[in-house]
Amino acid sequence: MVTSFLETPIEYLKGVGPARAEMLKKELQIFSFGELLSFFPFRYVDRSKIYKIEEIKDDSSYFQVKGTITRISSAGSHRFKRLTATITDGTGEIDLIWFQGINWVSGLLSTGKEYIVFGKPSWFNGRLNIAHPELESPSEQPTALSNAIRPFYRSTDNLKSKGLDSKGISRMMKTLLLSDKFTIPENLTEEILGNLRLMGRQEAFINIHFPSDHATLKKAQGRLKFEELFYIQLRLLQQKFIRSHKLDGHIFPKVGDNLNNFYHHYLSFELTGAQKRVIKEIRSDLRSGQQMNRLLQGDVGSGKTLVALMIMLIALDNGYQTCLMAPTEILANQHYQTISGMLSGLGIKMALLTGSTRQAERKKIFGELLDGSMQILIGTHALIEENVLFRHLGLVVIDEQHRFGVEQRARLWDKNIITPHVLVMTATPIPRTLAMTLYGDLEFSVIDELPPGRKPIITRHVYEPRRAEVFKFIRKMIGQGSQVYIVYPLIKESETLDLRNLMEGFETVKTAFPAPEYAISMVHGQMKQQEKDLEMQRFLQKETQIMVATTVIEVGVDVTNAAVMVIENAERFGLSQLHQLRGRVGRGGDQAYCILMTSYKLTAEAKTRIETMVSTNDGFFIAEKDLQLRGPGDLEGTQQSGILNLKIADIVKDEKILKYARNIATDIIREDPVLEKEKNEVLSRHLKMMNKFKENWGLIS
Ligand code: ADP
Ligand code: MG
């Protein structure tokens, strides 16, 4: 098979050879010419501008100056030798320092001669210096492809040892771009290129690596960002189309006794407008004859579980079984307790299946699932084990999507000839842009309204030295019958450190809240499930007033009587996590409080997080902020998806481009879903190629 230019293995590039090729594969996953070309600079430095030395105020970036060497001196001996050349441009002085290659460098330098110096200056003893600057004599500038704007590439120590630092990588790019076979086929249609006035693909690749000027660089970046986001969308939308047209869904036409009974006799409150709207949206999916894939988003306590429960009852009313999968045993347990509580008296057969379900019980459940008598199964990952088989599973509800790999979602579907409807609930609000990129193939429902009567949680930031006041407040609240959470951060690097942190905290709390007046529960990740459950139970039953815990209580656990959440070392938590934790209180009707304890030492970013928490309870706003602060790579669940390994686009900054890409992809798929029209051939060809290279993308949906 003739490989195209872009598919040529990287070792065939002049100057690369086997050793470097090996390193490129290992360190940067660059296997082919195409992958090298898609290894974009992470930064550019304008080398057309020459600064005056007096203009250099900060030492955070690279500068280029032009000056004359006034002094050359060397100091130290042997391995600690140092060469210093002082340069001036009449506005100030800079010391240029070399620790290596001294003999060679000193041969290049002479006093009284003019140089262009480029590097990252720093201040030392009131003097500016640049270690290992780049030097050129003014006559050398500018050369052919060493353009005015210089690209910088990420590299690694291993690569550098093989001569592949940023400059080395740039040299490889140059070799590639100047190769006589160099050609990059266009992968967007004439129509798109014309309508959006995008730069051609080949031109874009040349200019991303060797931009001729700023405007051209911007156009090149715009084009490649669009291309990247567009293909993600095109793919997701095509999959969505194929699925909805190929996958038949069970039809749930009716509402029967279960739902009616529950709604009229067991539900003690009115549904919120948002809940009603969402139920309507879901019901229309369930009647459509196509399989539902819907993401239900809503802030903590917005009533998602209740919505899910009602949908589950509709499944039962139509003669199907249903299951609900939770990410942890505690949560599965709690769902089981609440749901069996809410449904008691309706005569529905339900069971809990987790890792700790006994063998005999398991067997019994499996039998009842197969003969169809088991109607609702609630559990953890245990639900998707090989031997869990339903007679007619109609609906799967997944709580807290983030904790599950997408692969698991797929496995659930595989069990039936007609795939069950899937409703995914998440309390972690996903910023719009991220959701669009990540779950572009799902339908969305959003509960954007809290049940009436909830008072917004009051959040305060308290510095460590004022702990006594916090404890006093806790005493007062407990005196009024409330319960209190005190949460310690998980220190990922060391589980023992975690525990110590928690234990010390526990001791402090115990001293401040002595028995027998106070009783304290503790839950952490290293306890056995049974112990955890026991402690949680004690807290739930109000036998204890204070729950000291690590973040294991983060998701879902519902203790309506808890009105105070104290978060220790709050600066250590991410925004979304803080918000999740705060959501554990304020679930009853009482005024709830969240207290963020920190030391005085806060980074600017930590300060922003704390201020954001104090100023708002809006989960979507917080999620957006989180995305801005941390970038998508750190958001829970996004790493595994792989889809966020964006090479050039940025989900936060390029929201506008993403929207264009989304709209255009939508129009194309609507008009030509499987891309069989001639004008779209270029698109389908490129998609096929992507599929070939990125097999694992398939897991995403
Ligand atoms: P989520 O799953 O979104 O966190 P839940 O469904 O667990 O929210 O609801 C949180 C609490 O609010 C539960 O105690 C639930 O019974 C209650 N609740 C749900 N919907 C309403 C409503 N419309 N009016 C009053 N209370 C509600
Ligand atoms: Mg919930």
Side-chain angles (χ1 to χ4, degrees):
M1 176 190 147
V2 189
T3 50
S4 73
F5 177 78
L6 291 179
E7 289 171 63
T8 315
I10 192 67
E11 45 266 49
Y12 291 105
L13 186 64
K14 225 174 97 202
V16 169
R20 282 181 165 183
E22 207 45 50
M23 203 59 92
L24 283 167
K25 290 175 194 173
K26 220 169 87 197
E27 304 271 313
L28 299 177
Q29 282 76 52
I30 293 175
F31 291 83
S32 65
F33 287 7
E35 279 156 326
L36 178 62
L37 278 172
S38 301
F39 186 65
F40 300 128
F42 71 97
R43 185 179 49 190
Y44 299 85
V45 173
D46 188 347
R47 299 208 57 180
S48 62
K49 178 156 170 66
I50 291 186
Y51 287 83
K52 297 226 178 308
I53 293 178
E54 66 179 3
E55 287 180 291
I56 301 176
K57 297 277 185 276
D58 66 303
D59 51 10
S60 58
S61 50
Y62 287 78
F63 288 93
Q64 179 167 257
V65 298
K66 186 158 95 181
T68 311
I69 293 189
T70 53
R71 262 195 319 275
I72 300 174
S73 67
S74 61
S77 59
H78 303 302
R79 288 173 48 215
F80 303 105
K81 226 169 145 183
R82 182 160 55 114
L83 177 73
T84 305
T86 303
I87 193 168
T88 177
D89 65 355
T91 74
E93 282 189 340
I94 299 181
D95 293 331
L96 312 177
I97 303 172
W98 286 267
F99 304 98
Q100 278 155 15
I102 290 179
N103 288 341
W104 181 70
V105 174
S106 58
L108 298 175
L109 301 174
S110 46
T111 47
K113 221 176 122 183
E114 198 172 47
Y115 295 88
I116 290 178
V117 174
F118 175 76
K120 197 173 173 182
S122 56
W123 291 94
F124 183 72
N125 279 345
R127 288 183 66 80
L128 268 177
N129 67 72
I130 302 179
H132 289 255
E134 288 179 33
L135 281 187
E136 275 163 20
S137 69
S139 57
E140 283 177 52
Q141 268 211 341
T143 55
L145 265 178
S146 84
N147 281 316
I149 302 170
R150 176 164 300 190
F152 277 78
Y153 297 91
R154 266 190 307 110
S155 183
T156 65
D157 287 342
N158 283 333
L159 283 165
K160 282 177 192 162
S161 75
K162 294 249 178 310
L164 293 178
D165 57 357
S166 174
K167 259 181 147 177
I169 294 173
S170 179
R171 261 195 304 273
M172 278 196 307
M173 288 302 174
K174 197 186 284 185
T175 310
L176 191 54
L177 294 175
L178 295 178
S179 139
D180 49 9
K181 293 210 197 70
F182 173 72
T183 155
I184 299 183
E186 183 52 63
N187 65 3
L188 296 176
T189 62
E190 293 292 335
E191 201 176 333
I192 298 176
L193 289 171
N195 285 346
L196 295 181
R197 306 225 201 116
L198 293 176
M199 186 182 264
R201 192 156 186 247
Q202 173 149 327
E203 197 186 346
F205 270 99
I206 294 173
N207 279 287
I208 201 81
H209 293 294
F210 296 99
S212 47
D213 56 69
H214 281 290
T216 319
L217 172 60
K218 262 209 111 98
K219 285 207 83 171
Q221 286 171 325
R223 145 78 206 213
L224 293 171
K225 285 175 177 185
F226 176 84
E227 174 186 322
E228 182 166 46
L229 294 171
F230 170 74
Y231 272 104
I232 291 173
Q233 291 304 316
L234 195 65
R235 219 186 132 96
L236 283 170
L237 291 169
Q238 195 181 43
Q239 282 171 351
K240 181 170 161 183
F241 175 87
I242 290 171
R243 187 158 61 219
S244 65
H245 283 76
K246 277 217 182 114
L247 288 185
D248 289 339
H250 302 292
I251 300 179
F252 298 175
K254 64 175 187 197
V255 165
D257 289 348
N258 287 310
L259 186 70
N260 281 329
N261 236 335
F262 175 73
Y263 189 72
H264 295 295
H265 305 298
Y266 289 81
L267 195 61
S268 54
F269 41 73
E270 186 62 24
L271 295 177
T272 64
Q275 282 172 319
K276 285 183 187 158
R277 172 171 43 79
V278 162
I279 289 174
K280 235 193 212 150
E281 286 165 6
I282 297 170
R283 286 210 59 206
S284 96
D285 285 354
L286 298 180
R287 283 185 296 236
S288 72
Q290 283 159 14
Q291 188 238 356
M292 168 176 82
N293 268 290
R294 197 171 269 277
L295 186 64
L296 176 56
Q297 289 191 69
D299 226 332
V300 267
S302 60
K304 294 180 296 297
T305 311
L306 184 75
V307 166
L309 177 61
M310 293 175 66
I311 302 302
M312 289 163 80
L313 292 177
I314 293 178
L316 300 193
D317 281 338
N318 287 274
Y320 290 92
Q321 295 164 295
T322 173
C323 67
L324 189 161
M325 185 158 74
T328 66
E329 211 153 310
I330 290 189
L331 270 176
N333 250 305
Q334 185 156 43
H335 275 314
Y336 182 73
Q337 301 301 341
T338 4
I339 292 179
S340 54
M342 290 181 98
L343 298 184
S344 70
L346 281 175
I348 291 170
K349 192 166 174 61
M350 56 187 292
L352 176 70
L353 182 70
T354 69
S356 39
T357 306
R358 295 273 160 73
Q359 201 51 44
E361 171 74 5
R362 228 165 241 272
K363 261 210 167 126
K364 186 161 166 272
I365 293 176
F366 291 167
E368 289 162 338
L369 286 173
L370 262 185
D371 72 25
S373 59
M374 180 63 69
Q375 292 170 286
I376 298 180
L377 185 64
I378 295 175
T380 53
H381 290 74
L383 295 196
I384 42 177
E385 278 161 21
E386 234 55 63
N387 45 8
V388 185
L389 294 169
F390 293 81
R391 183 175 180 87
H392 36 224
L393 180 61
L395 167 74
V396 175
V397 178
I398 303 178
D399 193 14
E400 306 293 349
Q401 149 79 4
H402 286 92
R403 310 267 161 147
F404 287 103
V406 228
E407 199 185 355
Q408 285 153 341
R409 220 166 90 202
R411 260 171 81 184
L412 263 174
W413 299 351
D414 278 344
K415 293 197 167 171
N416 292 63
I417 298 163
I418 294 189
T419 40
H421 298 296
V422 176
L423 181 66
V424 178
M425 303 191 280
T426 176
T428 313
I430 303 166
R432 239 184 11 259
T433 48
L434 192 58
M436 219 188 258
T437 319
L438 211 49
Y439 304 115
D441 61 331
L442 296 183
E443 304 291 341
F444 284 96
S445 287
V446 179
I447 304 187
D448 48 7
E449 180 187 352
L450 290 179
R454 295 266 171 85
K455 300 186 183 77
I457 299 168
I458 296 173
T459 303
R460 293 262 183 277
H461 175 201
V462 178
Y463 289 106
E464 183 61 42
R466 297 180 59 185
R467 173 173 297 280
E469 285 167 51
V470 173
F471 281 179
K472 194 170 147 204
F473 175 69
I474 293 178
R475 259 176 230 119
K476 188 184 110 192
M477 292 299 288
I478 292 178
Q480 294 171 4
S482 283
Q483 284 169 289
V484 178
Y485 286 107
I486 303 180
V487 176
Y488 290 82
L490 256 155
I491 305 158
K492 278 219 184 72
E493 299 86 275
S494 152
E495 285 187 2
T496 31
L497 211 60
D498 267 358
L499 200 57
R500 206 180 70 204
N501 203 20
L502 181 75
M503 286 308 184
E504 278 170 15
F506 184 57
E507 289 307 318
T508 316
V509 175
K510 241 167 53 185
T511 316
F513 299 89
E517 197 184 348
Y518 299 97
I520 307 169
S521 288
M522 179 166 63
V523 171
H524 59 79
Q526 284 167 44
M527 282 162 68
K528 289 221 184 75
Q529 190 56 45
Q530 270 177 327
E531 294 173 291
K532 273 193 238 175
D533 289 351
L534 194 77
E535 287 291 288
M536 206 61 225
Q537 266 327 316
R538 291 208 310 145
F539 190 58
L540 263 168
Q541 309 296 334
K542 302 188 194 170
E543 288 168 28
T544 58
Q545 299 96 4
I546 300 176
M547 165 63 82
V548 175
T550 53
T551 43
V552 288
I553 57 148
E554 187 181 331
V555 273
V557 185
D558 204 353
V559 181
T560 41
N561 192 49
V564 184
M565 167 64 66
V566 179
I567 304 177
E568 300 280 349
N569 297 114
E571 70 272 24
R572 285 240 182 89
F573 292 86
L575 255 181
S576 295
Q577 213 179 9
L578 288 172
H579 182 65
Q580 288 292 315
L581 284 170
R582 178 167 62 183
R584 297 300 105 222
V585 295
R587 316 203 110 211
D590 297 334
Q591 178 62 58
Y593 301 87
C594 176
I595 298 167
L596 306 172
M597 305 281 304
T598 73
S599 68
Y600 280 112
K601 272 209 314 222
L602 289 181
T603 63
E605 202 199 300
K607 222 174 245 161
T608 310
R609 287 198 297 265
I610 305 279
E611 278 162 12
T612 307
M613 286 296 293
V614 171
S615 68
T616 183
N617 276 299
D618 180 341
F620 279 95
F621 178 81
I622 288 172
E624 295 278 354
K625 197 86 202 169
D626 200 28
L627 186 60
Q628 281 166 22
L629 287 175
R630 300 200 295 172
D634 287 328
L635 290 190
E636 259 182 278
T638 55
Q639 263 130 351
Q640 71 193 10
S641 73
I643 202 167
L644 286 173
N645 294 330
L646 295 175
K647 285 198 154 53
I648 185 164
D650 177 316
I651 291 193
V652 182
K653 295 188 192 124
D654 300 323
E655 185 177 350
K656 242 195 184 142
I657 301 180
L658 174 60
K659 274 191 195 139
Y660 272 118
R662 170 91 174 173
N663 288 341
I664 290 170
T666 307
D667 288 346
I668 291 173
I669 294 295
R670 189 179 298 136
E671 193 197 282
D672 184 14
V674 289
L675 303 174
E676 56 196 355
K677 294 199 170 153
E678 200 183 322
K679 65 172 182 181
N680 289 329
E681 205 211 312
V682 56
L683 302 179
S684 79
R685 195 167 353 113
H686 191 76
L687 263 187
K688 277 197 195 108
M689 203 182 73
M690 284 170 64
N691 288 343
K692 199 167 104 193
F693 284 106
K694 298 242 167 77
E695 233 103 66
N696 55 344
W697 277 43
L699 290 178
I700 281 154
S701 50

